[in-house]
Amino acid sequence: MATFQVQIEDMIGVVETTAGSATSDTTALSSFLTDGAKEVINMMNPSMLITCATEQTFTPKDVGSEDETLNTTKIFNVRRNDGTIDQPCRLIMSSMKGRASDSLEMDFASKTDPVYYLENNKINILPSSSTGVGKYSEVQFPSITHSDSAISNFADEAEYVVVLYAAMKGAERIVANYLDDEDIELAGSRAQQYNWAVGQYNKAVQGLMRWHLKKYYLE
């Protein structure tokens, strides 16, 4: 498969470093692709988000010693291994963590009924254990470069939307370059290309949303 740079330039031409230059601004292309992936991920419903997640593991800590920092708030499937199987964890408010760690409380968490909470951009599971393994799936925003031809841990159905986002931003950059160069005529012709790219991106987003709705009702 062609690299993302080739796919973008096939649509809008070279995203020049300066107006009239034949040099492609690959740094900008990589930035557009990375921003596009973040925007598309933020549009996804849970059924698609889970395809973008990767499993993380950590050691459940005592209350006050939490140290597992989250990259995003998009997390799924929080579990704690009880020595035999992974037990699903139920979410509690962080204000309840004291009770969940106190064996005298009715809300006490056990290894067969573990809990998790989120606080100060961290996740923790109770009961704590120096040998226990906590697990969760997290969607992390990918960093994409112009020379890539695929996005790891990303829904295939949405990958083309990222490319169109980058093409839209690339076309916008081309128009800006010619305006900075005070070439109004060329800027105007390039603006038509930008409008086309915006239209293609918006159609792709609408298609993605329709896919979401169709899958939702089928489920």
Side-chain angles (χ1 to χ4, degrees), residues 4-23:
F4 291 139
Q5 179 180 353
V6 170
Q7 293 179 49
I8 292 167
E9 291 180 351
D10 281 348
M11 287 187 279
I12 63 169
V14 175
V15 181
E16 307 140 328
T17 52
T18 56
S21 169
T23 303

Side-chain angles (χ1 to χ4, degrees), residues 49-56 68-79 121 123 135-141 153:
L49 271 177
I50 196 66
T51 67
C52 304
T54 55
E55 186 173 85
Q56 312 296 322
E68 179 67 11
T69 300
L70 295 170
N71 291 286
T72 70
T73 58
K74 303 178 191 302
I75 59 172
F76 307 88
N77 302 331
V78 183
R79 296 98 68 207
N121 202 38
I123 182 172
K135 303 177 181 179
Y136 62 99
S137 299
E138 181 183 39
V139 178
Q140 299 180 359
F141 297 125
N153 300 312

Side-chain angles (χ1 to χ4, degrees), residues 28-62:
L29 288 179
S30 298
S31 178
F32 297 153
L33 288 162
T34 298
D35 290 345
K38 185 174 183 178
E39 177 157 312
V40 171
I41 283 173
N42 285 332
M43 296 178 189
M44 291 180 178
N45 67 12
S47 64
M48 184 175 280
L49 271 177
I50 196 66
T51 67
C52 304
T54 55
E55 186 173 85
Q56 312 296 322
T57 60
F58 71 104
T59 301
K61 297 296 180 66
D62 292 333

Side-chain angles (χ1 to χ4, degrees), residues 85-212:
I85 64 171
D86 289 343
Q87 295 284 358
C89 299
R90 52 189 172 86
L91 176 64
I92 63 169
M93 296 177 61
S94 60
S95 60
M96 296 294 292
K97 63 185 180 180
R99 290 186 177 183
S101 61
D102 186 345
S103 60
L104 298 178
E105 290 284 347
M106 291 181 62
D107 299 311
F108 178 64
S110 68
K111 67 179 183 179
T112 57
D113 183 27
V115 301
Y116 78 99
Y117 58 91
L118 310 175
E119 186 174 43
N120 298 327
N121 202 38
K122 291 182 172 59
I123 182 172
N124 194 39
I125 290 174
L126 296 173
S128 61
S129 173
S130 59
T131 58
V133 178
K135 303 177 181 179
Y136 62 99
S137 299
E138 181 183 39
V139 178
Q140 299 180 359
F141 297 125
S143 179
I144 309 169
T145 63
H146 65 282
S147 58
D148 290 337
S149 57
I151 306 173
S152 300
N153 300 312
F154 198 81
D156 288 344
E157 299 92 334
E159 197 169 89
Y160 78 107
V161 187
V162 176
V163 176
L164 287 171
Y165 176 93
M168 175 182 67
K169 290 298 182 179
E172 183 179 38
R173 172 68 176 274
I174 292 170
V175 173
N177 282 343
Y178 281 103
L179 287 175
D180 288 344
D181 198 45
E182 297 184 353
D183 194 330
I184 304 301
E185 184 177 348
L186 272 174
S189 65
R190 290 291 194 158
Q192 297 178 17
Q193 189 177 53
Y194 167 70
N195 291 334
W196 173 86
V198 170
Q200 293 299 305
Y201 174 70
N202 288 335
K203 286 180 183 178
V205 168
Q206 291 169 9
L208 189 64
M209 294 302 102
R210 284 196 296 270
W211 185 92
H212 283 343

